[in-house]
Amino acid sequence: QVQLVESGGGLVQAGGSLRLSCAASGLIYGRYAMGWFRQAPGKEREFVAAISWREGTTVNADSVKGRFTISRDNAKNTVYLQMNSLKPEDTAVYYCAASVRGPTSSGGLYDSWGQGTQVTVSS
């Protein structure tokens, strides 16, 4: 059974940084891509970034390019989302997800999801 556990969320001022972590277990390592999504109150879930497990190929949403960086540590089975220059509009619950179909921006193609971690950016 795949388990994904996010951590690292919190309250930060605009312009600040946070690093989210997603610890994965139960995966067939090397066969899953990992993604980050977010959902703000009253809004639909939004793709943020994704990375392939082996090659490290990344996909990023236009809204976070140049500010957020996704990376992974295969030895620790952990995926990270480094978030810099945070804006109030980045406030959301951030979710980690796993997909056997590669680093896609389509949430419907992800097989497993974490419980989410809250990120709040104050102005």
Side-chain angles (χ1 to χ4, degrees), residues 39-104:
Q39 188 166 20
K43 294 187 177 181
E44 294 187 353
R45 183 178 60 197
E46 177 188 18
F47 169 74
V48 176
I51 187 169
S52 64
W53 200 265
R54 282 182 173 175
E55 299 84 8
T57 303
T58 61
V59 180
N60 297 281
D62 289 342
S63 59
V64 304
K65 282 182 180 178
R67 300 189 300 123
F68 292 10
T69 302
I70 188 171
S71 62
R72 83 268 190 257
D73 185 332
N74 291 347
K76 295 182 178 180
N77 302 322
T78 300
V79 176
Y80 304 98
L81 184 67
Q82 178 66 43
M83 306 186 294
N84 299 328
S85 302
L86 282 162
K87 305 174 182 179
E89 50 263 45
D90 294 319
T91 295
V93 177
Y94 283 71
Y95 297 91
C96 174
S99 171
V100 297
R101 297 167 184 84
T104 175

Side-chain angles (χ1 to χ4, degrees), residues 25-49:
S25 61
L27 300 175
I28 301 176
Y29 305 123
R31 297 187 183 181
Y32 280 78
M34 302 297 293
W36 286 99
F37 290 77
R38 65 186 182 187
Q39 188 166 20
K43 294 187 177 181
E44 294 187 353
R45 183 178 60 197
E46 177 188 18
F47 169 74
V48 176

